[in-house]
Structures are given as C-alpha cells and as structure tokens.
Amino acid sequence: DVKVTQSSRYLVKRTGEKVFLECVQDMDHENMFWYRQDPGLGLRLIYFSYDVKMKEKGDIPEGYSVSREKKERFSLILESASTNQTSMYLCASSSGSGVYYGYTFGSGTRLTVV
Amino acid sequence: SQQGEEDPQALSIQEGENATMNCSYKTSINNLQWYRQNSGRGLVHLILIRSNEREKHSGRLRVTLDTSKKSSSLLITASRAADTASYFCAAVIGKSTFGDGTTLTVKP
C-alpha cells in the first residue's frame, strides 16, 4: 500500500523556534506538496516541488521554506515559528504531471505554537 | 480566492438516504477530484473526473461535471454511518486548489 508519512502527528513548539516538518513518500512520485488547513479557509498551498532540488511557492509561502534533497523526502521549515502558524499541516504527493492522478496525503501534523 | 468551493457547508442525513454535495470553481480546469477526510486525519482520494467527462461512477459514488456552469456534484447513495466525514473537491490546473469542504453526518 502506497504511503506518505509525516514524522509527527502532534507537535508543540515555542514562538521563535525553528521547526522542521518532515514528509516521506514511498511511491517514487515526482511531485510533493505542503498544505495547511484552517477552519473556514480550506486547504491552502504553501510550497510544492516537481523534482529533486526544485521548489515553487504556493499561495501562502511567507514564513516558510522547503527542502527537497532526495526524491522521497520533502521538508517544510518554519524559520521562526509564530502563533499564527498554529495549524494542521498536510503533505501530499502525486505522480507525473499530477494532472490525471489523485494526490496521496499523509495523516497530517497538528502544530501548536505557544 | 479558492478554486474549489463546496456547498452546503454541513449536511445531516439518516442512514440509507442519499447525500449530494456540490462544488463550484472559477476557471478552466484539467480535472476535478473529490476527497474525503475523517476527523483530524489526512485526505483520501475518492474519484477523479476529467474535464472532457460528464459523469463517473465508483461504487456508491457518482460524480458529475458541468464545465459550462463550472460546477460538479458528488452523490453518495445508500449512505452509511461510516460515511460521516468531510468531503472536499479540488479543481486541478497543474496543482490542486481545495475548498473548505462539506461536513457530512450520517445518523444511524
């Protein structure tokens, strides 16, 4: 069974900390995505990557960065965590151009910044 | 602004009834996808309909797409308590844009 694994289900961090959220997929997918989900705002795309060492900004990249050194791993970095980054973070991957394939999502990381 | 917007926001039905959820989007798309999310978990891909298709079936799911109205609907027939979840549509133009979902409650 194909999988997208997010390293933590729940995470509590302090304001100003540097936070790493890790995502690993075992499907050899080219494309990987980071979304955040907030009530009333839906899922919003933060960053995505179509290839190793390649990244593109999504709709809300401010305050975040990403790293994709290997095909299977896509990391989301909060350079200096703030309380408004408290959210559910979802990683997803897809094959090929992504146009004719569905996304496979991880189980999510619920991050609380205090 | 969001590409995929679901309607209604919440839907409550009895087990055995059919549930219909709608999705509207703003621009031309490559395809439209429906996902399900159980409370506090990731999204699970249910069905994909391409822009040149009008209707698609998968088990108890039926999806329609009207590109002239920029809308789609998801019908779940003979609902079960286990169908209780949030349902999202994603309008795909290269990457997917999701709405806030429809929360479906199926009462036993």
Side-chain angles (χ1 to χ4, degrees), chain A residues 9 33 35 37-43 45 48 50 88 90 97-103 105-107, chain B residues 2 30-31 33 35 37 39-45 48 50-51 88 92 94-100:
Chain A
R9 282 296 317 279
F33 306 83
Y35 289 86
Q37 183 179 23
D38 302 284
L41 297 175
L43 275 75
L45 182 62
F48 58 103
Y50 287 145
M88 168 73 102
L90 293 164
S97 68
V99 172
Y100 294 117
Y101 299 93
Y103 288 20
F105 279 85
S107 297
Chain B
Q2 296 170 1
N30 299 118
N31 65 64
Q33 302 173 19
Y35 290 80
Q37 183 181 37
S39 180
R41 310 294 296 189
L43 278 70
V44 175
H45 181 252
L48 179 155
R50 301 184 183 189
S51 59
F88 295 82
V92 179
K95 61 185 193 295
S96 295
T97 306
F98 295 81
D100 203 29

